[in-house]
Amino acid sequence: MQTAANPLMPIPGAIDPVPVPRAVTPREDGRVDLMGLSRPQIKGALEEAGLDQKQAKLRSKQLFHWLYHRGETDFDAMTDLAKPMRGWMAERFVVGRPQVVEAQVSSDGTRKWLLRSDDGQDYEMVFIPDADRGTLCVSSQVGCTLNCRFCHTGTMRLVRNLTPGEIVGQVMLARDALGEWPKGNMSSGNGASANDDEADDASQYSPDGRMLTNIVMMGMGEPLYNFDHVRDALKVVMDGDGLALSKRRITLSTSGVVPMMARAGEEIGVNLAVSLHAVTKDVRDELVPLNRKYGIEELLQACADYPGANNARRITFEYVMIRDKNDSDEDARELVRLLRHYKLPAKVNLIPFNPWPGTDYECSTPERIRRFSDIVFEGGISAPVRTPRGRDIMAACGQLKSASEKKSRAELDRLAAEKQAALG
């Protein structure tokens, strides 16, 4: 319910207006969840609970280390805190994790988790293991503001933004499940364990033995319509005294929320991926209806202006391959022309369309995808074809959706029309 203390979510239009969730969600037991809080925020919470400034500063540094470097959830295990202090904290605070409703593993090793928040909202995250990296696909919203027609998540209504704690919590939960906290200091309340086999398996991914090496903000939702919470969460993830994930290993994906792109570069500074998917107005209007608000030329100029983009940190353009829709030789040549015209340091990820119940689209043939890729490569732009991962558990790109109910084509069209009317 909307209240004066909770303003409407800053998204265009008035569809499904909901209150912005507070950074710290009140719990029934009155305790404060520290998950997702920065050191200054932890210090503020400790002061509010009664510690003086000097004590709060010291304890916030200790807590930050235990929470984000060691993955600890149990105050009793925080051994550099005096026992009375541990009890004092346990009475007033908690270190939360998302509730796991369902965990699935694909035949190709991809893992998908259906998660549930304290207020009963469901969202998903996916871990994709590769030979030289492990990528966690993180959600930023419950549902989605947008209505990209090829995307299963786009058929959902937006419910609300995820909080910084819920975003960071996905990373923490993945580390729990992969057994990636320092041995002997594993969280005692989250069900995670690190056995020798897991540690041996992890060593193949990165020098420090971690399987989770990269994060992509490509799960449910449009990250730039939850900018403040995404920014604050990623700053916690990048903090060198905690999770310490380099900004070069984090990619934020947007469908083209042009006014927020420069801020993303300046205030977050991570890699940028743009869901392009078409090179003509008519086709992109259909596939990514946000194009009617921010057109291709405006979007590409914002990419050219993106802070920090260069040949060493190229912008990734995501391009889903849909049969007889956006996969012709002419489309490939126009893609090359556009990227060269705006002098973009770019690479193109060609994504075979991943089907889902109710879609009218089909994936381009392997031969057509190869031909498209060859043309872009010949134009001097890298255009690898992404191997679909997790299709058998609906974990592939464009397949995420927390609810399993089916919608009729008329219902999908009606929802898409409502969202587009709100976007203007």
Side-chain angles (χ1 to χ4, degrees):
M1 178 178 295
Q2 182 185 349
T3 67
N6 291 316
L8 292 182
M9 184 181 298
I11 61 173
I15 186 169
D16 295 330
V18 294
V20 175
R22 292 175 56 189
V24 182
T25 304
R27 292 170 50 91
E28 290 183 4
D29 61 10
R31 293 188 293 172
V32 173
D33 192 345
L34 299 178
M35 180 48 51
L37 299 190
S38 64
R39 265 171 303 193
Q41 289 173 323
I42 294 174
K43 178 176 178 289
L46 293 175
E47 289 178 355
E48 189 173 336
L51 291 188
D52 62 40
Q53 286 191 1
K54 185 176 180 180
Q55 274 285 310
K57 182 178 181 180
L58 171 62
R59 301 310 178 194
S60 64
K61 182 177 180 180
Q62 293 171 315
L63 283 173
F64 192 89
H65 175 82
W66 282 107
L67 264 63
Y68 300 121
H69 181 74
R70 296 192 179 275
E72 189 54 70
T73 62
D74 185 356
F75 292 105
D76 282 339
M78 299 181 185
T79 52
D80 58 354
L81 298 176
K83 284 188 177 180
M85 178 59 69
R86 298 179 213 170
W88 182 88
M89 288 189 175
E91 291 175 0
R92 293 162 175 80
F93 302 103
V94 65
V95 181
R97 291 288 193 271
Q99 176 189 347
V100 178
V101 178
E102 184 179 17
Q104 297 175 276
V105 181
S106 168
S107 58
D108 63 23
T110 298
R111 304 187 188 194
K112 183 174 79 168
W113 291 267
L114 174 62
L115 308 176
R116 182 163 295 159
S117 65
D118 288 341
D119 61 348
Q121 302 299 337
D122 291 352
Y123 52 102
E124 293 180 335
M125 71 174 189
V126 173
F127 177 72
I128 307 166
D130 283 306
D132 60 347
R133 70 178 64 191
T135 302
L136 185 69
C137 183
V138 174
S139 291
S140 58
Q141 295 180 314
V142 180
C144 190
T145 315
L146 305 178
N147 58 321
C148 301
R149 296 301 294 269
F150 61 89
C151 178
H152 201 201
T153 314
T155 67
M156 298 177 65
R157 289 184 181 277
L158 173 69
V159 178
R160 67 167 173 83
N161 284 334
L162 292 179
T163 66
E166 289 164 338
I167 295 169
V168 176
Q170 295 173 64
V171 183
M172 305 297 285
L173 185 63
R175 284 262 172 98
D176 292 346
L178 296 170
E180 295 205 315
W181 302 112
K183 286 190 175 182
N185 294 288
M186 295 300 298
S187 305
S188 60
N190 54 33
S193 64
N195 58 44
D196 291 338
D197 291 339
E198 286 177 320
D200 290 341
D201 289 343
S203 65
Q204 66 178 302
Y205 287 89
S206 64
D208 61 2
R210 287 179 175 173
M211 295 174 67
L212 200 171
T213 63
N214 294 66
I215 289 174
V216 292
M217 296 299 304
M218 296 182 184
M220 296 169 60
E222 166 55 64
L224 294 188
Y225 279 143
N226 186 16
F227 179 83
D228 289 351
H229 287 176
V230 168
R231 176 200 58 207
D232 294 349
L234 291 181
K235 284 187 175 181
V236 169
V237 169
M238 294 186 289
D239 192 298
D241 292 328
L243 288 159
L245 200 66
S246 167
K247 66 182 181 181
R248 295 180 181 276
R249 290 187 173 272
I250 300 175
T251 299
L252 184 149
S253 176
T254 179
S255 293
V257 185
V258 168
M260 302 302 295
M261 289 170 61
R263 282 190 65 192
E266 293 163 359
E267 298 181 31
I268 308 175
V270 297
N271 300 317
L272 180 68
V274 174
S275 296
L276 189 61
H277 307 308
V279 293
T280 63
K281 173 176 168 51
D282 289 347
V283 176
R284 194 165 193 268
D285 281 354
E286 174 187 339
L287 297 179
V288 188
L290 186 63
N291 193 70
R292 300 173 194 172
K293 190 175 185 71
Y294 307 115
I296 294 175
E297 292 79 10
E298 188 177 0
L299 171 59
L300 294 180
Q301 185 58 55
C303 291
D305 296 336
Y306 186 73
N310 53 49
N311 287 330
R313 297 187 65 196
R314 293 175 293 173
I315 295 173
T316 299
F317 289 90
E318 308 285 351
Y319 198 99
V320 64
M321 299 297 295
I322 301 176
R323 184 173 184 175
D324 298 330
K325 179 62 64 174
N326 64 352
D327 62 352
S328 69
D329 288 2
E330 291 74 18
D331 290 320
R333 295 189 184 100
E334 177 62 8
L335 176 58
V336 171
R337 187 195 71 79
L338 284 169
L339 297 182
R340 295 185 71 171
H341 175 75
Y342 286 91
K343 300 178 181 178
L344 290 167
K347 68 175 181 179
V348 179
N349 273 348
L350 300 180
I351 307 167
F353 172 69
N354 295 303
W356 44 269
T359 182
D360 288 335
Y361 298 122
E362 297 179 12
C363 183
S364 305
T365 65
E367 295 77 17
R368 181 94 296 270
I369 296 175
R370 281 195 297 270
R371 173 60 180 160
F372 194 102
S373 176
D374 288 344
I375 292 173
V376 179
F377 267 115
E378 289 165 5
I381 299 167
S382 176
V385 179
R386 184 188 297 176
T387 302
R389 302 291 300 274
R391 274 181 169 176
D392 55 330
I393 58 171
M394 292 291 286
C397 181
Q399 289 185 319
L400 296 191
K401 185 175 181 182
S402 61
S404 60
E405 80 278 4
K406 295 182 179 180
K407 287 186 172 72
S408 69
R409 172 48 52 187
E411 290 173 314
L412 293 175
D413 288 343
R414 183 167 58 252
L415 178 58
E418 289 176 356
K419 286 187 176 184
Q420 188 56 45
L423 288 168

